[in-house]
């Protein structure tokens, strides 16, 4: 699998990066590339178009319904429906894009876009995280409930290694969460843990919202994650401090999420 950072700024789009959005790609046995988008936050649809044809995305997983994680689904919807040659209006709607998210995700996106109650997404099909694994080509997606003020999930994606397709590897995306058993369970023995570290110790006191670098590192250590990529840092947060905090509780390799960076797993 290959993870490309589309957007990685926390809580809002920043001056150098869009908000949360991550593209996972994996090739099946026939050589077909499958594309799974994890979140599509504010500002993310712009850079996404520079990375992939939006009509080539096979599925979208949404961790929770805060704008910095879902707002640009509205832009994706417009593109998929109204593109003059590839849109569903021109093609009379072939296969709708499957989107999974918290309960009521479709209604929330519709309200954000301003759709009337009787309107429907003819190019997107919404469903909830029901506890069963979700198969997207060669990738298997599992959702774990995590601790955040709204219904939120960490996502574990298992699929073929890019270097050795006969071997399964796992990429875990924390979404937004504080330290909890759910994210530790999701990240168990992960080959790559993409984990938020929005807060700093001593500066941000509220609990039950976000991880600090210290707590992100502790989650990785408890779970036995092999590699960590820190993400969801707000524009006002010094990334050097976030990494320094994480190194006090996690001894493995740590990287920072950067726009367009590709992590091969």
């Amino acid at each position: 699998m290959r993870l490309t950072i589309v957007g990685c700024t926390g809580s809002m789009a920043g001056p150098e990066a869009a908000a949360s959005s991550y593209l996972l790609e994996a090739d099946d046995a026939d050589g077909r590339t499958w594309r799974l988008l994890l979140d599509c936050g504010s500002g993310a649809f712009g850079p996404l178009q520079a990375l992939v044809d939006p009509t080539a995305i096979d599925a979208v997983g949404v961790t929770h319904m805060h704008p910095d994680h879902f707002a640009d689904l509205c832009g994706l919807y417009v593109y998929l429906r109204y593109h003059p040659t590839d849109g569903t209006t021109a093609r009379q709607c072939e296969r709708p894009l499957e989107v999974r998210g918290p309960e009521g995700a479709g209604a929330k996106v519709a309200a954000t876009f301003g759709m009337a109650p009787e309107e429907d997404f003819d190019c997107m099909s919404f469903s909830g995280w029901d506890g069963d694994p979700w198969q997207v080509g060669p990738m298997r997606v599992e959702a774990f409930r995590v601790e955040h003020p709204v219904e939120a999930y960490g996502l574990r994606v298992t699929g073929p290694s890019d270097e050795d397709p006969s071997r399964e590897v796992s990429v875990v995306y924390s979404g937004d969460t504080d330290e909890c058993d759910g994210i530790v369970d999701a990240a168990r023995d992960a080959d790559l843990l993409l984990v938020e570290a929005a807060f700093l110790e001593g500066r941000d006191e509220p609990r039950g919202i976000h991880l600090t670098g210290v707590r992100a590192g502790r989650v990785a250590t408890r779970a036995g994650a092999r590699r960590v990529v820190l993400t969801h840092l707000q524009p006002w947060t010094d990334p050097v401090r976030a990494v320094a905090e994480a190194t006090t509780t996690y001894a493995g390799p740590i990287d920072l999420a950067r726009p367009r960076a590709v992590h091969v797993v």
Side-chain angles (χ1 to χ4, degrees):
M1 292 191 292
R2 299 172 297 281
L3 171 69
T4 302
I5 309 298
V6 181
C8 54
T9 302
S11 304
M12 67 206 74
E16 298 179 357
S20 295
S21 189
Y22 310 92
L23 179 66
L24 265 178
E25 298 175 291
D27 301 329
D28 65 17
D30 296 324
R32 198 267 215 204
T33 299
W34 291 78
R35 296 176 175 90
L36 169 65
L37 189 66
L38 304 179
D39 283 344
C40 192
S42 43
F45 188 61
L48 178 66
Q49 293 171 74
L51 296 169
V52 65
D53 177 352
T55 64
I57 296 170
D58 293 289
V60 182
V62 180
T63 60
H64 66 289
M65 302 308 292
H66 276 158
D68 59 319
H69 291 260
F70 87 87
D72 267 29
L73 284 177
C74 295
L76 178 58
Y77 164 72
V78 171
Y79 190 102
L80 294 179
R81 182 170 185 182
Y82 295 111
H83 190 285
T85 57
D86 298 331
T88 55
T89 300
R91 294 185 291 106
Q92 298 304 307
C93 190
E94 294 176 3
R95 178 184 62 86
L97 177 69
E98 188 173 3
V99 181
R100 289 207 181 184
E103 190 69 28
K108 186 73 175 282
V109 176
T112 301
F113 186 65
M115 294 172 66
E118 66 272 12
E119 290 185 277
D120 193 14
F121 291 97
D122 63 354
C123 60
M124 287 181 175
S125 174
F126 284 87
S127 58
W129 296 113
D130 57 10
D132 293 328
W134 178 31
Q135 201 70 34
V136 180
M139 294 178 281
R140 183 174 70 256
V141 187
E142 298 168 276
F144 295 75
R145 187 69 181 263
V146 295
E147 186 178 359
H148 200 52
V150 299
E151 180 184 350
Y153 296 87
L155 303 180
R156 181 183 182 93
V157 185
T158 305
S161 165
D162 203 60
E163 298 176 345
D164 178 9
S166 66
R167 184 170 65 88
E168 275 198 337
V169 292
S170 56
V171 173
V172 174
Y173 168 41
S174 70
D176 283 5
T177 182
D178 201 346
E179 187 174 2
C180 62
D181 290 342
I183 189 56
V184 173
D185 291 341
R188 192 77 62 192
D189 299 321
D191 293 279
L192 188 153
L193 173 58
L194 178 66
V195 60
E196 69 116 305
F199 283 173
L200 292 178
E201 293 288 325
R203 184 192 72 181
D204 305 298
E205 298 301 334
R207 295 300 301 257
I209 304 176
H210 292 297
L211 293 163
T212 62
V214 167
R215 298 201 291 269
R218 196 156 56 215
V219 165
T221 297
R222 289 175 60 193
R226 297 179 178 87
R227 178 164 42 129
V228 162
V229 176
L230 297 181
T231 192
H232 202 270
L233 276 63
Q234 288 101 342
W236 55 76
T237 295
D238 180 357
V240 174
R241 284 189 62 186
V243 172
E245 283 193 3
T247 60
T248 66
T249 52
Y250 177 69
I254 300 174
D255 201 356
L256 278 169
R258 302 181 191 278
R260 298 198 181 197
V262 178
H263 299 270
V264 176
V265 189

